[in-house]
Amino acid sequence: MARQSISFTKPNDEWLKTQVDSNEYSSKSELINDLIRQARKQQAQIDWIRAKLDKAENSGFTNDSKNEILAKSKSLLNG
């Protein structure tokens, strides 16, 4: 595992200490790694949505009503 040295502002350091002190995490490193995992997951979701939006924008127009589009979307979500 790579070892890094980083600096935090006082409010951020206090928040990190609070999280560790409340036994949410065993160390600041564990907490930082979890925050990075969450950010990476969020970025992956944003990238997925962007790709879907790009595909939709490039697919052209539809004559379907908004209710038809909503029904199709719900059926896709529900499998």
Side-chain angles (χ1 to χ4, degrees), residues 41-54:
K41 182 179 178 181
Q42 183 180 30
Q43 187 61 53
Q45 292 170 338
I46 289 168
D47 292 344
W48 181 83
I49 291 169
R50 253 191 209 119
K52 291 293 184 181
L53 288 172
D54 288 342

Side-chain angles (χ1 to χ4, degrees), residues 29-42:
S29 293
E30 181 185 354
L31 173 54
I32 297 300
N33 276 308
D34 189 43
L35 292 171
I36 291 170
R37 276 190 294 275
Q38 290 176 36
R40 290 172 62 195
K41 182 179 178 181
Q42 183 180 30

Side-chain angles (χ1 to χ4, degrees), residues 10-42:
K10 186 172 176 86
N12 287 343
D13 189 49
E14 289 174 3
W15 183 82
L16 290 168
K17 287 178 185 175
T18 300
Q19 298 305 304
V20 173
D21 290 345
S22 68
N23 295 320
E24 288 292 320
Y25 297 91
S26 62
S27 68
K28 287 182 188 178
S29 293
E30 181 185 354
L31 173 54
I32 297 300
N33 276 308
D34 189 43
L35 292 171
I36 291 170
R37 276 190 294 275
Q38 290 176 36
R40 290 172 62 195
K41 182 179 178 181
Q42 183 180 30

